[in-house]
Amino acid sequence: MPDDRIRARMRLTLLGTGSALPSPTRLQTGAIVERGGDTLLVDCGSGVTHRLAQSDIDYRDVDTVLLTHTHLDHVADLPTLAKARLLDGHDAFTVVGPQGTSDVCDALFAVDELADRLNLTVRELPTGTDPFAIGEIAIERAPTDHSKPGYAYRFDERVTIAGDTAPTEPVCSLADGSEVLVHECAYPDGTESPGHSTPTALGKLLADIDIDRILLTHLFPETEPHADELVSTVSKYTDATVSVATDHTSVMLE
């Protein structure tokens, strides 16, 4: 029998789709997964708190952040978001992530003595790929291929967010059957990109994967002029609808 939880309405909102380099149109990484009463932020790069203020998502509802990995462009706005909530009377804040999350949080939340002022919970995921849950959202994971330990995550079997990674079979297999895959495509073909994805390498691994929609993200500024090329190349290998995501891209899953 189908799980009613799996079929529950879900919304994905991409707040930041850029990289560590400044862009006039793309902020650093952040995405919101909403399901029922749960509002989960995945990564919290620079500017994400202000993107929340530009959206219809109340930043005061975002009390939990799940990290794909701990590079600065995925964690820089953690203290900004936590302090904004604190100043508005919300002191509870939770950060969940891979190995290294505790050390990063120790450094970030030392600013303004936030660690002493917040009701802060930091949860490092155990090594491996055991599933877990945040609120009512069921989450599966697969290791990524990047310069920091990290995970791609699949939420209620419907949405997969890959984080920063070279294309890998475990991440693509995790996404198999998803309605939406958010996968980085940081550089065009012909670029040396250890730990990142180019379109042909990504497309080849997605060729036998069943996905309805693929959103390409984490574009470096020099990649922006090649956006159409990224889409056309990945589309050669998959029947999924492929597009380059922009900040504020939102997808409703009924």
Side-chain angles (χ1 to χ4, degrees), residues 10-241:
M10 177 179 285
R11 182 170 72 156
L12 168 70
T13 303
L14 302 183
L15 299 170
T17 59
S19 68
L21 297 182
S23 163
T25 57
R26 297 178 184 275
L27 297 184
Q28 293 181 357
T29 302
I32 289 281
V33 176
E34 296 171 280
R35 180 201 164 279
D38 291 308
T39 302
L40 175 62
L41 176 60
V42 183
D43 289 332
C44 192
S46 179
V48 164
T49 302
H50 288 81
R51 274 288 190 257
L52 279 167
Q54 296 169 348
S55 75
D56 62 356
I57 302 163
D58 192 331
Y59 71 91
R60 291 166 293 191
D61 292 336
V62 184
D63 61 3
T64 303
V65 181
L66 175 63
L67 302 178
T68 61
H69 67 292
T70 58
H71 273 153
L72 189 61
D73 57 316
H74 292 250
V75 305
D77 242 25
L78 284 172
T80 302
L81 175 58
K83 184 173 181 179
R85 298 182 74 261
L86 178 65
L87 293 175
D88 216 0
H90 300 269
D91 67 343
F93 199 70
T94 297
V95 182
V96 183
Q99 177 186 347
T101 297
S102 293
D103 288 344
V104 165
C105 287
D106 285 347
L108 290 173
F109 290 106
V111 178
D112 286 351
E113 295 80 41
L114 284 172
D116 298 326
R117 300 164 61 193
L118 289 166
N119 178 12
L120 179 64
T121 300
V122 179
R123 175 184 170 194
E124 280 198 6
L125 296 169
T127 57
T129 59
D130 289 345
F132 60 103
I134 295 178
E136 294 298 315
I137 302 175
I139 304 172
E140 299 169 86
R141 55 183 168 137
T144 52
D145 179 1
H146 196 52
S147 55
K148 286 271 190 181
Y151 292 104
Y153 300 110
R154 180 167 172 169
F155 302 92
D156 278 0
E157 299 189 4
R158 304 184 73 181
V159 172
T160 301
I161 298 178
D164 288 8
T165 184
T168 71
E169 188 278 331
V171 171
C172 292
S173 292
L174 178 73
D176 198 7
S178 296
E179 293 174 59
V180 179
L181 167 63
V182 181
H183 201 293
E184 70 131 275
C185 198
Y187 295 108
D189 284 339
T191 306
E192 290 292 328
S193 57
H196 287 292
S197 296
T198 53
T200 293
L202 175 60
K204 287 180 177 179
L205 279 182
L206 291 174
D208 296 320
I209 302 300
D210 179 22
I211 302 167
D212 293 336
R213 183 172 181 181
I214 299 168
L215 298 175
L216 304 178
T217 187
H218 204 271
L219 275 67
F220 280 78
E222 60 265 36
T223 307
E224 194 74 41
H226 301 275
D228 290 344
E229 173 191 327
L230 304 184
V231 171
S232 62
T233 301
V234 174
S235 296
K236 292 177 183 177
Y237 297 93
T238 175
D239 293 331
T241 300

